[in-house]
Amino acid sequence: MKKVAFYTLGCKLNFSETSTISRQFEEKGFLKVDFQENPDIFIINTCSVTENADKKCKKIVKEAKKISPDSYVAIIGCYAQLKPTEISEIEGVDAVLGAAEKFRLHELLGDFAKEQEAKVLASEITEARSFNNAYSINDRTRTFLKVQDGCNYGCAFCTIPMARGKSRSNTIDSVLASAREIAATDVKEIVLTGVNIGDFGIVEGKRNERFADLVFALDEVEGIDRFRISSIEPNLLTNEIIEFASQSKRFVPHFHIPLQSGSNTILRRMGRRYLRELYEDRVSKIKTLMPHACIGVDVIVGFPGETDELFLETYNFLNELDISYLHVFTYSERANTRAVEMDGVVPIKKRNERSKMLRILSEKKRRKFYEENLGKTFTVLFEEDVENGKMHGFTENYIRVAAKYDPMLINELKVVQLDQINEAGNVEVLEPEMVYERH
Ligand code: SF4
């Protein structure tokens, strides 16, 4: 039995895809092992957004060859699509597969026999037109279910459309079938994942369905307690979706909405499809209907043209906004994007200073959000990990909770009362005897 190991860089989408590809291997009779367990084959799923993607890729290949010098190494994923030839020249790489090829490893690489030269099987990104269903089943608590891939937006800083291609989706029926399959494995929470999931519904270039209808249909799936929307563009997060979520049986009050900048000048330069007023309106709509909702924000600092004054606009905008945490990205130049050609380059030192300021703001926001919810009652889905005798889980509104370890609580939903914020910044719940079953 040949042994295969996987390594994933990047986002939830990559994790869901690695997981599906690993199941393909298991179905073909391969034994899935950990990276350290002398595999015969390594599959490395790369990311183009990762800082120093090339260096990371080289490092993992080197590590793989140290563990199993005679192993077969295949590189897939976004970075493989963007730089196939460069990757094929890394010592130890046997094959590079692009976006249209990565789900066909067996068909294209046969019995994974090593050859003199590395194989490069990466067609033009325009060839990546079909949708490949994927979901992760790495831990039994939560699954990332891919419902959409690619993007038609073309923001000035982004390489994703070049790495993943045009927007395309699964069908509602097929997503429902996957959700039912996942429900049968006792997973309690599904995180809907995609590149631009609000754009769900395009099949072979034609819009057939809507994201809102997918949400309505999933809400009826028995056996899944929670659906979380991983991230949705503000212009696609409609009142219809927000209103539905506020009454939903299974969709949780947690929204992650990319903002990228709080300055309209920068938003226009980025080519984003909304202005800050729309973003403000989305936040206020959510908070009016669901005051306890958690709102996470992606923001990029140091985009070309971001003067001190414009950065301050972003800072003040976020400071005033009723949001719960930030994911801060420091702008870095990416080949073949419009942004690299722009003037107003921000010095790296300044980018880092701004990033630090927003990270501090994020901590402040998270703490305030947690504090507002102390004393209230929420449902926690407890996870497997144990740290210093404590176990953790998330409430429906994404508050990370710590409780005394009890193996009986793993993968269980429990109603708890939030007590206080501990030193690690998590929220302690009242003693387990105060924890009682959901009605
Ligand atoms: S919406 Fe913009 S940032 Fe997001 S994937 Fe599409 S092009 Fe990239």
Side-chain angles (χ1 to χ4, degrees):
M1 213 180 200
K2 277 198 174 168
K3 295 191 282 185
V4 58
F6 296 85
Y7 195 98
T8 310
L9 289 162
C11 62
K12 293 167 182 140
L13 204 53
N14 265 12
F15 278 91
S16 69
E17 291 179 340
T18 302
S19 187
T20 292
I21 293 168
S22 78
R23 290 196 295 279
Q24 285 178 356
F25 272 85
E26 282 170 323
E27 277 159 23
K28 298 250 176 220
F30 289 77
L31 181 67
K32 186 180 160 197
V33 295
D34 283 341
F35 208 80
Q36 309 290 338
E37 292 179 82
N38 296 314
D40 301 295
I41 302 165
F42 286 97
I43 308 293
I44 302 168
N45 195 357
T46 61
C47 166
S48 64
V49 178
T50 309
E51 200 64 48
N52 299 321
D54 50 343
K55 279 198 200 122
K56 284 211 173 115
C57 187
K58 273 185 201 150
K59 202 170 156 225
I60 299 159
V61 174
K62 205 167 153 195
E63 194 57 34
K65 296 309 276 188
K66 225 170 38 193
I67 294 166
S68 293
D70 299 325
S71 58
Y72 189 99
V73 176
I75 315 286
I76 60 170
C78 295
Y79 188 55
Q81 175 66 38
L82 291 182
K83 303 269 167 157
T85 319
E86 281 171 32
I87 295 175
S88 71
E89 283 158 9
I90 300 174
E91 207 184 313
V93 169
D94 295 289
V96 184
L97 279 82
E101 291 83 14
K102 66 186 167 196
F103 284 92
R104 297 161 56 210
L105 283 154
H106 297 276
E107 179 193 334
L108 297 170
L109 301 178
D111 56 359
F112 299 88
K114 291 175 84 66
E115 288 173 24
Q116 202 72 21
E117 299 263 300
K119 263 190 185 158
V120 180
L121 300 161
S123 36
E124 290 294 313
I125 191 60
T126 45
E127 295 302 312
R129 281 183 299 239
S130 56
F131 179 85
N132 289 288
N133 191 18
Y135 60 81
S136 65
I137 40 169
N138 293 334
D139 80 76
R140 53 197 179 103
T141 309
R142 179 177 301 109
T143 280
F144 298 113
L145 171 60
K146 174 182 160 189
V147 300
Q148 185 274 342
D149 200 352
C151 183
N152 296 344
Y153 274 24
C155 301
F157 52 82
C158 185
T159 54
I160 293 175
M162 290 176 252
R164 285 193 166 267
K166 291 265 180 223
S167 180
R168 56 205 186 274
S169 307
N170 206 348
T171 61
I172 293 179
D173 281 348
S174 170
V175 176
L176 289 175
S178 295
R180 289 191 192 108
E181 238 171 79
I182 294 165
T185 67
D186 201 29
V187 163
K188 302 276 195 304
E189 179 174 314
I190 290 182
V191 183
L192 300 182
T193 310
V195 172
N196 186 350
I197 62 174
D199 196 38
F200 173 90
I202 300 177
V203 176
E204 286 169 10
K206 260 182 54 204
R207 178 170 305 284
N208 296 340
E209 293 178 314
R210 300 183 320 143
F211 183 61
D213 294 320
L214 174 69
V215 168
F216 305 158
L218 284 171
D219 208 42
E220 299 300 325
V221 173
E222 293 296 330
I224 298 293
D225 290 270
R226 287 177 173 181
F227 286 99
R228 214 176 273 281
I229 301 170
S230 62
S231 171
I232 181 163
E233 290 289 302
N235 49 308
L236 298 174
L237 181 56
T238 58
N239 282 349
E240 192 183 19
I241 296 170
I242 298 171
E243 280 159 15
F244 184 81
S246 73
Q247 319 261 326
S248 153
K249 287 183 263 188
R250 298 187 165 93
F251 277 80
V252 293
H254 173 207
F255 299 87
H256 192 95
I257 322 168
L259 168 69
Q260 311 308 17
S261 173
S263 148
N264 281 343
T265 312
I266 297 296
L267 286 174
R268 287 196 183 98
R269 276 173 77 89
M270 286 175 163
R272 302 285 293 162
R273 299 194 178 194
Y274 54 87
L275 296 176
R276 57 189 246 156
E277 290 73 19
L278 177 128
Y279 197 95
E280 221 170 354
D281 180 65
R282 300 296 75 203
V283 171
S284 125
K285 176 82 185 173
I286 294 168
K287 284 294 195 178
T288 307
L289 294 179
M290 294 164 269
H292 61 300
C294 176
I295 302 179
V297 184
D298 284 342
V299 55
I300 298 174
V301 293
F303 187 78
E306 190 188 62
T307 59
D308 288 345
E309 210 182 4
L310 295 182
F311 169 69
L312 219 61
E313 270 186 32
T314 294
Y315 187 92
N316 291 336
F317 181 68
L318 289 167
N319 197 22
E320 298 291 311
L321 215 55
D322 194 359
I323 48 149
S324 325
Y325 65 90
L326 307 171
H327 280 174
V328 184
F329 299 87
T330 308
Y331 172 75
S332 74
E333 285 75 7
R334 295 274 182 263
N336 304 319
T337 57
R338 278 181 288 125
V340 279
E341 310 289 334
M342 290 182 181
D343 53 9
V345 172
V346 179
I348 302 284
K349 193 165 162 258
K350 227 169 213 177
R351 295 184 205 179
N352 292 336
E353 281 164 13
R354 290 176 188 173
S355 166
K356 198 169 161 203
M357 279 174 76
L358 286 190
R359 282 176 217 269
I360 294 169
L361 180 63
S362 177
E363 273 320 301
K364 222 176 84 185
K365 290 278 180 187
R366 193 189 298 271
R367 197 168 177 96
K368 181 167 172 280
F369 175 64
Y370 280 11
E371 276 167 0
E372 282 165 3
N373 286 293
L374 294 180
K376 294 185 187 159
T377 299
F378 292 102
T379 309
V380 175
L381 176 55
F382 282 102
E383 295 169 8
E384 232 161 342
D385 65 311
V386 194
E387 248 170 66
N388 305 326
K390 297 265 180 193
M391 65 194 308
H392 297 91
F394 284 95
T395 60
E396 55 272 54
N397 57 347
Y398 211 56
I399 293 173
R400 190 158 190 258
V401 155
K404 204 160 107 189
Y405 179 68
D406 175 354
M408 296 302 286
L409 289 180
I410 295 173
N411 201 27
E412 290 296 322
L413 283 149
K414 296 285 167 185
V415 176
V416 297
Q417 195 182 343
L418 303 187
D419 188 23
Q420 55 176 347
I421 304 174
N422 67 18
E423 273 180 23
N426 301 312
V427 177
E428 301 270 341
V429 294
L430 294 178
E431 281 303 298
E433 50 267 29
M434 295 292 288
V435 175
Y436 51 92
E437 282 284 349
R438 189 185 195 188
H439 302 290

